[in-house]
Amino acid sequence: MMPLSIAILMDPIGAIKLAKDTSFALLLEAQRRGHTLYYMEQRDLALRDGVPWARLAPLAVKDDPAGWYTLGQAQWRDLSELDVVLMRKDPPVDSQFVYDTLVLEQAQRAGVLVVNDPRALRDCNEKLFALQFPQCTAPTLVSRDAGELRRFAAEQGDVVLKPLDGMGGQRIFRVKPGDHNLNSMLETLLGGDGHGHGTQLAIAQKYIPEITAGDKRILVVDGEPVPWALARIPQGNEFRGNLAAGGRGEGVALSDRDRWIVQQVAPVLRRRGLLFVGLDVIGDYLTEINVTSPTCARELDAQFGLNISAQLFDVIEPRCSTHKSG
């Protein structure tokens, strides 16, 4: 395999948590394979006369908390000259993120492999995308209407409310019957005038008691699941399993139901060019499909002696072997 030129678009590398950062695991594996690495942030992306440009800094990485990266002199380059762009910018998927995917789509048209596919990153909201598979999901309502959301909460008895653009457990609420805070929770999520006319869509989902056993993150590489999931288990009185919200990560083998859920979703992932995805499963239910910057690879690698990044590059490299041929 000829060395590839690989650029990563990510949040500031100087602020990452080394033991948990999946983007860093991908960089370590790419470097181990002899590929040439470049680094960029959102501010480094541009479009010049329809040509995708980026201010790219040569990057070297080292698995050392005392100093894990070295950046060379950044220079503006035509992104079309590269082989691969890893789009690993964390949510929110706001207007700026969407604009970035449009620039990266220009690079894709020129033959660059963008992981994940820019159009899929725009189209596949991490919470709404899961609802394309109703056979896998718990009862769910997405609405801007506070009255409808209140009715859904009363009907289901115990629900979780969350925004469509959050991550890491932010602005997630659990509502039990008779909860007097429901109106203020809805105001927080919906925005608007506070009288039921919201400006933001919110999602309400039936509470799944199996969250006590963990919110499982199942990593899927080109439609194939990693055989172990990271169960993010809520601690104390907390109902959120997110590691960012204090959850504890514990590796577990995939269940038959987990594998069935992956089988339901995998053909769509492959068709959309979503090579690296994280499914969130609580009990028997798919709750989210993470497409932007799925995490938990480093924890699973450490617990089970895996190399999930190698699985991904085993998919990426053959796709680049005929790069820009013809």
Side-chain angles (χ1 to χ4, degrees), residues 1 6 21-22 29 32 68 99 116-117 136 146 167-168 173 197 211 217 221 229 233 267 270 283 301 306 313 315:
M1 179 73 206
I6 299 176
D21 197 275
T22 296
E29 178 61 20
R32 189 185 70 76
W68 56 90
Y99 300 150
N116 284 314
D117 183 281
C136 302
M167 66 168 288
F173 305 102
H197 303 292
I211 183 62
R217 165 60 55 82
V221 179
I233 301 169
R270 288 194 186 100
D301 284 352
L306 306 175
F313 278 101
V315 171

Side-chain angles (χ1 to χ4, degrees), residues 12 28 43 80 89 97 101 109 188 211 220 233 268 275 278 287 291 298 305 309:
L28 285 171
R43 63 189 176 187
S80 306
K89 173 78 184 70
F97 186 104
T101 65
R109 287 194 186 101
T188 299
I211 183 62
V220 182
I233 301 169
V268 179
L275 298 186
T287 59
V291 301
R298 292 215 87 183
S309 300

Side-chain angles (χ1 to χ4, degrees), residues 98-304:
V98 169
Y99 300 150
D100 290 342
T101 65
L102 292 165
V103 176
L104 291 176
E105 204 168 357
Q106 291 289 86
Q108 186 186 53
R109 287 194 186 101
V112 180
L113 177 65
V114 182
V115 181
N116 284 314
D117 183 281
R119 182 176 296 175
L121 291 176
R122 289 198 301 277
D123 290 350
C124 300
N125 174 274
E126 305 200 314
K127 296 172 179 68
L128 293 183
F129 187 25
L131 300 179
Q132 291 187 22
F133 308 94
Q135 71 275 30
C136 302
T137 57
T140 303
L141 173 67
V142 179
S143 179
R144 292 186 180 88
D145 189 286
E148 284 302 302
L149 289 161
R150 273 195 291 270
R151 270 192 286 279
F152 181 83
E155 174 189 302
Q156 298 298 331
D158 195 346
V159 301
V160 172
L161 298 170
K162 51 191 175 181
L164 290 183
D165 62 352
M167 66 168 288
Q170 296 170 342
R171 292 188 297 147
I172 295 181
F173 305 102
R174 180 181 175 188
V175 183
K176 297 181 183 180
D179 194 322
H180 298 299
N181 294 316
L182 176 56
N183 285 342
S184 59
M185 292 175 192
L186 289 173
E187 285 173 23
T188 299
L189 289 172
L190 299 176
D193 60 11
H195 298 292
H197 303 292
T199 58
Q200 308 289 321
L201 280 170
I203 186 166
Q205 210 155 40
K206 182 178 176 63
Y207 174 73
I208 306 166
E210 290 84 355
I211 183 62
T212 54
D215 180 351
K216 285 181 286 192
R217 165 60 55 82
I218 301 169
L219 291 175
V220 182
V221 179
D222 194 25
E224 293 296 326
V226 173
W228 304 90
L230 195 73
R232 296 157 300 171
I233 301 169
Q235 301 298 291
N237 294 322
E238 179 59 72
F239 75 92
R240 296 171 299 173
N242 310 72
L243 300 181
R248 175 176 60 84
E250 180 181 296
V252 295
L254 296 194
S255 68
D256 288 344
R257 173 73 178 186
D258 294 336
R259 291 180 183 277
W260 179 82
I261 289 172
V262 174
Q263 286 173 356
Q264 301 300 300
V265 176
V268 179
L269 300 181
R270 288 194 186 100
R271 191 167 69 243
R272 287 182 172 269
L274 290 163
L275 298 186
F276 188 50
V277 166
L279 307 186
D280 288 350
V281 173
I282 302 173
D284 286 340
Y285 299 107
L286 175 68
T287 59
E288 291 187 22
I289 302 176
N290 294 268
V291 301
T292 52
S293 54
T295 59
C296 299
R298 292 215 87 183
E299 294 92 330
L300 289 168
D301 284 352
Q303 286 190 40
F304 299 106

